[in-house]
Amino acid sequence: MTHLSRRQARAITGTTKGVYADFMKAKGRPEVIQELGDDARLFWFGPRKADRVLLFFHGGAFLFPALSSTPWLWDHAQDILSKRGVEFDIAMLNYTLIPDAPFPTQLKQAVLAIQHLIDTGIKPSHIQLTGDSAGGALIHQVLSHILHPLAGVPELSLSEPLGGAYMMSPWTSLTDSSLLRSNQGRGDLVSVPIFTYWGSIVLSGVPTPDLPYIDAYSAPQSWLDGSDKAIKRILVSAGEHEILRDAIVDYAKEKLGNHHRDVAFYLEDKGVHDQPFLNFLTGDKDTGKLTSFIIDWLDNGFCS
């Protein structure tokens, strides 16, 4: 990926629809696709049957589709929690990639998805958001929009805080910075130049006042004040060896942790960017301590 242009990389990564179709075929399940309008749709991992939902925002720098292993991690979590008596449905948001549609299109589509779940009878406290990399950044966008409604994006009507949000290796710094360069050369899959190249595409045309929504590193220290009134509990994780490590630590402990009463942070030993998904991508039978931690965290959220 480091040596490919955006167009070259997208040509070989396929589509999120393809990732979903391959997963459902492998599991022997019929596809359940729900159109939301504005080119947004939900890919359900099975028929709607529970009153709790895990809503997943995939990563890929907003430029690329979901990793082929992403459905397998959440399906694994659902299987384990089902054995514990915790039932929930899983939906993955299929949002429009950049530059096919620029910011804030993806935020609008995420708001549409959450509002749709609420409008169909799911209590906000029964919704847990999850997102990796750019998907984690999209959760930050949603949280920012709840606290600072962005013109042109529908407001999210919440009668109570959302149940939880988990950000795996969130893309918290889209531009070159000291934090982005402080953990180089430790074996991560991506480099500072490729992160900043992708970031330049994502940020192209974004007005300066809108930067805190999409580039968390540029947000004022008080930007997320009151965030515990929007989302009940938040988990953020990073890999010890990933380029984004220190930018994620800064976000979790300074930008978010100082303004939210229930923020958990997990630093994965020797982990790289999106490590849990890589474990499933390679078929590693040891899914890792972080995956177990995520599952237990979701369990506590759905049971609270």
Side-chain angles (χ1 to χ4, degrees), residues 70-85:
T70 54
W72 294 91
L73 184 149
W74 303 122
D75 186 72
H76 172 71
Q78 186 182 45
D79 182 56
I80 288 179
L81 292 182
S82 178
K83 292 174 182 176
R84 298 181 188 176

Side-chain angles (χ1 to χ4, degrees), residues 52-219:
R52 289 169 169 76
V53 175
L54 184 154
L55 176 58
F56 172 58
F57 302 151
H58 72 80
F62 294 111
L63 307 171
F64 310 112
L67 284 169
S68 60
S69 59
T70 54
W72 294 91
L73 184 149
W74 303 122
D75 186 72
H76 172 71
Q78 186 182 45
D79 182 56
I80 288 179
L81 292 182
S82 178
K83 292 174 182 176
R84 298 181 188 176
V86 180
E87 299 296 335
F88 62 94
D89 297 332
I90 303 173
M92 176 167 61
L93 174 65
N94 181 214
Y95 58 82
T96 310
L97 300 177
I98 294 174
D100 301 346
F103 172 84
T105 300
Q106 299 72 31
L107 172 56
K108 291 180 182 178
Q109 293 171 327
V111 169
L112 273 178
I114 298 169
Q115 192 65 60
H116 171 78
L117 295 179
I118 295 171
D119 291 345
T120 55
I122 304 297
K123 295 170 58 177
S125 59
H126 287 180
I127 299 171
Q128 298 206 67
L129 308 178
T130 63
D132 70 291
S133 195
L138 187 51
I139 291 176
H140 169 78
Q141 289 184 31
V142 169
L143 182 54
S144 299
H145 176 60
I146 294 172
L147 299 174
H148 312 278
L150 182 62
V153 178
E155 290 196 31
L156 193 55
S157 301
L158 296 178
S159 58
E160 60 183 351
L162 295 168
Y166 166 49
M167 308 179 197
M168 178 196 298
S169 297
W171 194 15
T172 53
S173 180
L174 279 67
T175 59
D176 202 346
S177 67
S178 58
L179 285 181
L180 204 60
R181 293 184 171 273
S182 58
N183 200 40
Q184 297 184 83
R186 305 194 66 190
D188 200 6
L189 301 178
V190 286
S191 64
V192 171
I194 197 64
F195 262 134
T196 54
Y197 165 60
W198 290 340
S200 68
I201 299 173
V202 173
L203 294 175
S204 178
V206 176
T208 300
D210 293 352
L211 288 178
Y213 293 89
I214 192 168
D215 180 36
Y217 183 67
S218 68

